Amino acid sequence: MPQADLPSTPSAGDPGSEPNSDAKLVLMAEDDPFISRMYQIKLESAGFRVIVKNNGRDAFEAIKEMHPNLTVLDINMPELSGLEVLAALQNDSFDLSAMPVIMLTNSADLSDRKRAQEFNAEYLVKAEYTPREVLDIINQKLGVENPVAGDAESDPKNESS
Amino acid sequence: LIQAYALIATAVFNFLIGIPVLRRRSPNASDKMYLVTAFFMFAWVVGDTLLIAHTDTAVSDLARRMFLIAPLGIVSFLVPFALLFPNENKFPRWVWLASFVPAIALGLFMAIEPRLFITAITINYSAPNTFTVGHPYYELYATLLSAYFSTAYLIFFLRMRHSRALVHIQAQYTFMGVVLSSSPALITNLVLPILGNTQYVWVGPLFSVIYIAFFSIAIIRYRLFDIRRTAVRALAYFLTLTIIVALYVTAIMLVKVPFSQFIGKLADNQNLFYICTTLVAIFLFEPLKQRFNSVTKNIFFRQDYDSQQVINDFSKILVSELNLDRILKRSLANLCESVHIQFGQLIIFNHGQVYRVEHYGPLPQRLMVAPELHTLKRSMLIADELTGGARKQLMESHGVRVSMMLSSREEFVGYLLLGDKLSGDIYSNQDIELLEIISKELAVAIQNAKAYAEISEFNVTLQARVYHATNRLRVANRHLKELDKAKDEFISMASHQLRTPLTTIKGYLSMLGEGDAGPISEDQKQFVQYAFDASERMVRLISDLLNVSRLSAGRFLIQTKPTDMVAMIDDEVRQLTPHAKAKNLQLIFERPKDQLPPAQIDDNKTRQVVMNFIDNAIYYTPAGEVRVKLGQTGEMVRLEVTDTGIGVPEDARRKLFTKFYRAGNAQTVRPDGTGLGLYLAKRVIQDQGGTIIFNSVEGKGSTFGFELPLKPPPARTSSTHREEHNAASRPAVHS
């Protein structure tokens, strides 16, 4: 399969795309680079710092080390699944309650949803949400007032709250 | 006269021997000849007695006629009897002429002129009467009789020479009897009177006793005429009579001879004594007869039985048994043991072939085969009553005495073959009657048992078939379950695999539209929006497929959260407005008049239901409007989507909400539909404790909608429980 190049950081991006120390840190674990890149662009354009890890083990290490403000975890990943990462963190006496977790997955397995709820994590089916909607949810979780005045026309969920 | 008494006894004897033959079931010609002979013998003895004993001249002529004519009768029937002996039925007509014409001619002459033959009778009071014979008439008479007798001797002799086995012995005895009795009688009654001596005429008839004796032996020992039973009974009568007469005579003699002097004085008392003796004799007769009956029975018929008892036993067997083999075995054994039959055989046919065979007793050397049996196709055949022929030969060669064809309700069942009786006796009237009754009952019972056996066999095959069919179904069912599971797993896996690339497509399209890749023109934005909407629909389609497979696998989960229904529907209406516009339809949203509290429902799934209703309405409405109406009734939120579309045909309404079902007109309008939307909608709404609203007029339009409780019913463990609960609690919600 011919591998397409990942989209680079938009040249005509938002002014707030430059990371600064005040910016909230979002850790994203996602093994599909096109998908992780997509969210990264959206989140960074909204002023978040985003660290992407493409497997569970690296994500676990990064979370322990960096204490991100929020973590977005895929479930089906190499090394450790998103749920295993949470379990490992819990075993490691990591305080999960201080960090909102969003499970962002295309898994059709309902038991995954249940276990995510046990960890008090938000469970979202990846295909059902646009990056913009995911961003809205992250903002909501972090108590950020809609920081970017996006174009409401193309985002249906914008008006719902 | 002592001679008279002896003669009377002989006359009775002669008479008695005729009775058994008379009582035979079906006397043949030979029997009849014999009977007539016996009658003339009796007449002759009576005539002889009259002739020698009469004292009144008035009866002289009667005595002459009887004495002379009776022997003609004897001989004219003796010759045909000899010709027919022992069991023939017919002989040439000329025999009748040759035998009867001379006898009748002479007999008539004698009847008219008896005094030409016996000219004078000397009446003696203390001795037999004597007479003188007329010459040459008496010689003529003697010659004719001698000729008859010679012919009879010759015929018997030839019969004896040319017959074998039993018939030979029977002929032998009869021949000896006829010769030994008739030849001395010829001398005393024909030769001596011609020579002038008539003193011994009374001895002649006594010789008939010899004939009777020989004949009785032939009857009793060698089954002549098959009249053993009645002959023996006659013997009992005879013995009884003999004893009575002997006692009577002895008593009179005892009284008369030693005490004649005393009694002479008391003539009146003598008569009284006779009366008393006679009375005693009369009263003695019955008990004595019974005594002799039982004595002869013990000797000759030890194996007697009670017909009614046999029939009762038989009925008991037939009532208590249903199994064919046991019915055959027990009934045959019962019959043979009761009637004392050496061997018996039951051959039962089914569809023209031998079906069962049952034996009793020692098997005969040869058994009949089916074609032989079928020549016996008569309700009843008794070998002893058959006069020759293939059937008799067949039966005798197989030792079969009686053959009965069993049939019930006109239907042929089989044969009952019976051998000799243990006593060697022939089958009596009693036996035959019993057999007739029993065979009918047996035939019916066999027919029933056959039917029962057939039903039982049929039952067994049926059970086996049901068993096999059930097994096959079980296997097929297991296979189907496995297939269904594989299908669900496939759908689940496929959904996941489809979603991942779709996430990328949809995500980047949305970002493109949002300007994340730089500003785009209105046209570009429009195109991106179309692509985005299509990807969105595909996401929902995959979600539907996944939900259906979850439903059938029992893993369909409702997740509720407080939802603003107005916002949700607003959203959906806005998304679908471009579709409506493209078809020149008006899509109108009638909001509720009052503020609607947030509903505790599954946001995603309910949203899909709403979208499905509106999307369908747009698709199936060629012109007009689609009206979405939201309202609150009590604790329920009510949504209705009404269109002016093609409507749902009457016959499709019942199945409309079932999986993969699509109405005929819907298929024409939209060939790519899945038939899942309404099915899922119904499940989603019912699983949340709501009800589906559906009304339609074909060609006019439809209304699809639902009523959902604002707060979910308390018990929500499984969808089925929920449905039950919902159904029970709905009236309470409405009130």
Side-chain angles (χ1 to χ4, degrees):
Chain A
M1 279 253 293
Q3 196 74 34
D5 288 334
L6 286 173
S8 58
T9 311
S11 49
D14 291 328
S17 63
E18 274 301 305
N20 55 59
S21 52
D22 290 346
K24 302 252 166 118
L25 180 64
V26 172
L27 187 126
M28 172 165 278
E30 167 63 62
D31 60 329
D32 184 328
F34 291 93
I35 291 175
S36 59
R37 186 76 190 135
M38 185 174 81
Y39 293 119
Q40 195 183 4
I41 292 167
K42 197 71 189 177
L43 289 174
E44 283 178 351
S45 74
F48 287 101
R49 278 199 300 141
V50 179
I51 292 169
V52 175
K53 297 291 172 192
N54 63 3
N55 69 69
R57 186 167 301 282
D58 288 357
F60 168 71
E61 298 295 338
I63 292 164
K64 268 201 332 184
E65 218 170 281
M66 299 177 167
H67 292 273
N69 297 85
L70 184 141
T71 297
V72 178
L73 288 172
D74 191 6
I75 290 182
N76 297 313
M77 282 190 297
E79 308 281 341
L80 288 175
S81 79
L83 290 164
E84 282 165 343
V85 170
L86 290 179
L89 287 170
Q90 208 167 45
N91 276 353
D92 216 43
S93 324
F94 186 89
D95 185 13
L96 280 174
S97 65
M99 178 186 73
V101 177
I102 294 171
M103 305 302 291
L104 194 61
T105 179
N106 274 332
S107 161
D109 199 337
L110 288 175
S111 64
D112 288 349
R113 186 190 289 255
K114 264 192 174 164
R115 288 190 57 205
Q117 281 170 338
E118 281 162 21
F119 285 113
N120 208 20
E122 184 80 18
Y123 185 96
L124 300 178
V125 173
K126 225 185 283 180
E128 287 177 0
Y129 294 85
T130 62
R132 176 62 193 243
E133 287 166 333
V134 174
L135 174 62
D136 288 347
I137 291 164
I138 291 171
N139 279 333
Q140 200 186 321
K141 293 268 172 198
L142 291 173
V144 179
E145 290 298 318
N146 202 11
V148 180
D151 36 358
E153 266 178 68
S154 65
D155 191 343
K157 297 288 182 293
N158 206 21
E159 294 177 352
S160 61
S161 51
Chain B
L1 283 172
I2 194 86
Q3 291 89 341
Y5 287 124
L7 280 170
I8 287 165
T10 312
V12 171
F13 219 159
N14 270 296
F15 177 73
L16 286 175
I17 197 78
I19 292 172
V21 182
L22 197 67
R23 287 189 50 174
R24 207 186 153 188
R25 262 175 69 78
S26 57
N28 55 28
S30 167
D31 300 338
K32 287 170 195 157
M33 293 302 126
Y34 171 74
L35 266 175
V36 181
T37 314
F39 166 74
F40 281 114
M41 295 263 277
F42 176 71
W44 177 52
V45 177
V46 172
D48 199 319
T49 314
L50 270 180
L51 191 68
I52 61 152
H54 79 274
T55 48
D56 187 350
T57 49
V59 295
S60 291
D61 277 357
L62 176 67
R64 278 190 179 98
R65 287 188 182 111
M66 282 185 77
F67 177 76
L68 291 169
I69 298 171
L72 282 175
I74 295 170
V75 291
S76 61
F77 282 92
L78 187 65
V79 174
F81 171 61
L83 277 169
L84 293 171
F85 186 87
N87 276 321
E88 300 297 322
N89 235 337
K90 275 184 183 163
F91 50 78
R93 190 177 289 266
W94 63 264
V95 175
W96 285 103
L97 293 171
S99 181
F100 293 116
V101 169
I104 290 169
L106 189 63
L108 280 172
F109 184 47
M110 282 174 157
I112 298 160
E113 292 291 345
R115 285 167 194 266
L116 285 177
F117 293 85
I118 294 171
T119 49
I121 300 170
T122 313
I123 291 168
N124 301 319
Y125 289 96
S126 53
N129 300 338
T130 55
F131 56 89
T132 49
V133 298
H135 303 283
Y137 300 104
Y138 206 82
E139 282 84 348
L140 175 70
Y141 173 65
T143 312
L144 189 70
L145 284 182
S146 305
Y148 268 111
F149 271 113
S150 307
T151 314
Y153 292 170
L154 184 68
I155 294 167
F156 272 120
F157 182 71
L158 289 175
R159 178 72 51 178
M160 190 178 79
R161 286 290 300 272
H162 293 295
S163 60
R164 287 180 294 112
L166 201 61
V167 176
H168 176 75
I169 298 169
Q170 289 170 351
Q172 212 170 15
Y173 274 88
T174 315
F175 174 69
M176 299 287 276
V178 170
V179 172
L180 288 179
S181 59
S182 59
S183 43
L186 283 173
I187 294 166
T188 54
N189 287 29
L190 294 177
V191 179
L192 289 182
I194 291 169
L195 298 176
N197 184 344
T198 56
Q199 284 177 34
Y200 301 105
V201 168
W202 67 273
V203 183
L206 298 184
F207 289 114
S208 68
V209 174
I210 298 171
Y211 168 69
I212 288 162
F214 274 92
F215 216 68
S216 300
I217 292 169
I219 286 171
I220 291 169
R221 278 196 63 188
Y222 300 106
R223 303 213 318 250
L224 181 65
F225 296 160
D226 300 333
I227 50 162
R228 207 173 103 118
R229 173 175 283 270
T230 33
V232 169
R233 187 141 295 157
L235 184 68
Y237 273 101
F238 173 72
L239 285 173
T240 317
L241 270 178
T242 313
I243 299 281
I244 299 275
V245 169
L247 284 174
Y248 187 74
V249 170
T250 316
I252 289 168
M253 290 296 170
L254 281 176
V255 173
K256 219 177 176 178
V257 180
F259 308 107
S260 51
Q261 274 107 23
F262 297 103
I263 291 163
K265 292 170 191 166
L266 303 159
D268 295 341
N269 290 2
Q270 193 184 353
N271 285 339
L272 188 67
F273 174 76
Y274 286 149
I275 291 165
C276 289
T277 323
T278 311
L279 277 175
V280 168
I282 288 166
F283 285 120
L284 267 175
F285 183 80
E286 192 56 33
L288 262 176
K289 194 195 88 178
Q290 294 226 326
R291 177 77 199 129
F292 281 112
N293 252 349
S294 71
V295 167
T296 49
K297 227 181 197 177
N298 278 339
I299 296 166
F300 298 100
F301 311 110
R302 245 167 314 185
Q303 290 137 341
D304 222 7
Y305 61 90
D306 175 3
S307 290
Q308 199 51 50
Q309 188 58 46
V310 177
I311 291 169
N312 287 350
D313 291 348
F314 208 75
S315 298
K316 263 182 216 158
I317 292 169
L318 298 187
V319 164
S320 64
E321 288 289 358
L322 255 180
N323 177 288
L324 180 59
D325 293 318
R326 289 174 59 93
I327 284 181
L328 297 181
K329 194 178 193 67
R330 285 187 62 190
S331 53
L332 186 63
N334 178 52
L335 175 65
C336 291
E337 277 161 18
S338 313
V339 188
H340 309 286
I341 299 166
Q342 225 164 20
F343 88 91
Q345 201 182 4
L346 269 168
I347 303 115
I348 307 305
F349 281 73
N350 199 20
H351 305 303
Q353 289 187 319
V354 176
Y355 183 57
R356 297 285 156 85
V357 179
E358 184 63 44
H359 296 284
Y360 172 85
L363 287 181
Q365 295 241 307
R366 282 184 57 211
L367 291 174
M368 282 196 209
V369 291
E372 289 177 323
L373 281 166
H374 286 311
T375 63
L376 304 176
K377 221 161 183 169
R378 297 284 184 285
S379 63
M380 181 186 265
L381 286 171
I382 300 163
D384 298 293
E385 287 178 12
L386 288 172
T387 51
R391 284 198 205 98
K392 184 177 175 113
Q393 214 173 357
L394 176 69
M395 287 173 76
E396 284 187 337
S397 66
H398 289 81
V400 173
R401 292 275 116 206
V402 175
S403 151
M404 300 194 82
M405 186 177 76
L406 305 175
S407 59
S408 115
R409 282 173 252 118
E410 308 283 299
E411 205 177 324
F412 169 66
V413 173
Y415 294 100
L416 169 64
L417 304 180
L418 297 171
D420 275 307
K421 292 179 79 175
L422 287 173
S423 59
D425 228 352
I426 60 138
Y427 282 81
S428 65
N429 277 342
Q430 188 196 10
D431 300 334
I432 302 303
E433 276 158 23
L434 178 75
L435 286 175
E436 273 168 354
I437 293 167
I438 277 181
S439 67
K440 278 182 195 123
E441 282 189 31
L442 187 60
V444 172
I446 287 171
Q447 201 72 335
N448 289 345
K450 261 167 74 183
Y452 176 76
E454 271 171 25
I455 288 169
S456 304
E457 279 162 27
F458 178 69
N459 242 2
V460 169
T461 31
L462 202 65
Q463 263 176 9
R465 277 190 199 162
V466 167
Y467 178 76
H468 280 296
T470 315
N471 251 2
R472 282 216 303 274
L473 277 179
R474 200 173 288 138
V475 169
N477 198 31
R478 195 164 54 223
H479 190 61
L480 279 178
K481 273 183 180 164
E482 281 165 9
L483 274 180
D484 201 49
K485 203 180 159 205
K487 181 205 75 183
D488 287 341
E489 278 168 5
F490 170 76
I491 290 173
S492 178
M493 188 270 290
S495 307
H496 180 243
Q497 295 301 319
L498 288 170
R499 269 171 167 179
T500 303
L502 206 52
T503 309
T504 313
I505 295 166
K506 188 181 148 181
Y508 282 108
L509 281 172
S510 75
M511 283 166 69
L512 206 57
E514 286 160 15
D516 286 337
I520 51 171
S521 70
E522 274 305 306
D523 283 347
Q524 284 169 334
K525 199 180 225 173
Q526 191 64 56
F527 291 176
V528 169
Q529 184 66 42
Y530 291 154
F532 174 79
D533 286 350
S535 69
E536 184 86 304
R537 221 174 15 256
M538 196 154 163
V539 169
R540 281 174 180 165
L541 194 58
I542 291 167
S543 188
D544 280 356
L545 273 173
L546 198 57
N547 279 333
V548 168
S549 84
R550 278 176 184 156
L551 271 178
S552 53
R555 301 184 303 260
F556 185 66
L557 208 68
I558 297 286
Q559 276 206 316
T560 60
K561 63 178 182 187
T563 306
D564 182 351
M565 287 280 284
V566 180
M568 178 210 277
I569 289 159
D570 236 356
D571 211 22
E572 294 302 316
V573 167
R574 198 174 42 73
Q575 266 198 64
L576 290 165
T577 302
H579 292 275
K581 270 185 186 157
K583 289 187 75 181
N584 278 325
L585 297 174
Q586 266 204 296
L587 178 57
I588 304 151
F589 179 29
E590 280 183 36
R591 289 155 199 274
K593 289 177 184 90
D594 305 314
Q595 182 78 27
L596 205 64
Q600 189 70 27
I601 55 171
D602 187 310
D603 177 24
N604 270 326
K605 292 195 173 69
T606 311
R607 183 186 291 271
Q608 276 182 38
V609 172
V610 173
M611 192 219 97
N612 183 266
F613 286 167
I614 301 172
D615 195 44
N616 278 350
I618 292 169
Y619 254 104
Y620 300 118
T621 305
E625 57 167 44
V626 174
R627 192 174 287 271
V628 183
K629 191 178 164 189
L630 185 69
Q632 187 184 353
T633 49
E635 292 298 301
M636 308 288 274
V637 60
R638 184 186 174 94
L639 175 94
E640 282 176 52
V641 178
T642 308
D643 62 49
T644 56
I646 57 173
V648 180
E650 182 99 35
D651 60 317
R653 284 173 201 168
R654 205 170 44 82
K655 293 182 76 182
L656 197 61
F657 289 88
T658 56
K659 185 162 52 171
F660 299 117
Y661 178 79
R662 300 200 63 222
N665 55 354
Q667 281 182 42
T668 343
V669 175
R670 193 180 186 182
D672 64 331
T674 55
L676 290 173
L678 291 178
Y679 168 69
L680 276 172
K682 190 178 182 188
R683 287 303 301 263
V684 167
I685 298 306
Q686 288 188 343
D687 281 10
Q688 297 184 83
T691 47
I692 286 282
I693 295 163
F694 166 58
N695 278 303
S696 187
V697 179
E698 192 178 359
K700 286 278 169 68
S702 312
T703 299
F704 285 90
F706 57 75
E707 265 192 345
L708 275 177
L710 285 165
K711 290 194 176 81
R716 304 190 71 174
T717 44
S718 79
S719 62
T720 46
H721 277 147
R722 190 150 52 246
E723 274 170 22
E724 281 165 23
H725 179 88
N726 181 40
S729 67
R730 198 168 301 137
V733 173
H734 277 294
S735 62

